[in-house]
Amino acid sequence: PTALKLYPDMQVVLITADAKILEERLRERGRETEEDIQQRLQRATAFKVSAPNLVTIQNNTTIEAAAKQLFDCINHNSVLLV
């Protein structure tokens, strides 16, 4: 809320992935315990963002695809609905 007051034309970018994809990635990394994975998934599910000019980038495929969407958003100031 404070940032939006200071910068009313600000564009918020949310980079996210579906819970199933996130779980697969966490398991593949092998760094977290089962409890850590479940806590991380709960936090991800509970995390909500709402803002005018919100751009959501679904990072469900490759990092290159998500990076391209972010790059396009930054360079063209376009709204991406993916």
Side-chain angles (χ1 to χ4, degrees):
T2 302
L4 287 173
K5 288 179 184 174
L6 293 171
Y7 307 99
D9 295 330
M10 173 179 71
Q11 189 162 28
V12 177
V13 178
L14 172 64
I15 301 174
T16 188
D18 291 337
K20 182 175 173 126
I21 300 291
L22 178 58
E23 182 176 6
E24 289 173 7
R25 290 175 180 171
L26 292 172
R27 290 189 189 288
E28 286 175 8
R29 291 179 192 156
R31 296 185 298 221
E32 292 88 357
T33 65
E34 181 62 29
E35 182 180 346
D36 292 338
I37 290 171
Q38 293 307 315
Q39 289 176 353
R40 176 81 182 271
L41 292 171
Q42 287 175 357
R43 284 194 310 270
T45 302
F47 187 74
K48 304 292 182 215
V49 175
S50 64
N53 300 323
L54 175 66
V55 174
T56 301
I57 295 174
Q58 285 295 131
N59 185 19
N60 289 330
T61 59
T62 66
I63 189 69
E64 292 82 9
K68 181 182 182 321
Q69 291 176 53
L70 179 59
F71 181 79
D72 290 346
C73 178
I74 292 168
N75 283 317
H76 303 293
N77 198 24
S78 63
V79 175
L80 304 174
L81 301 174
V82 181

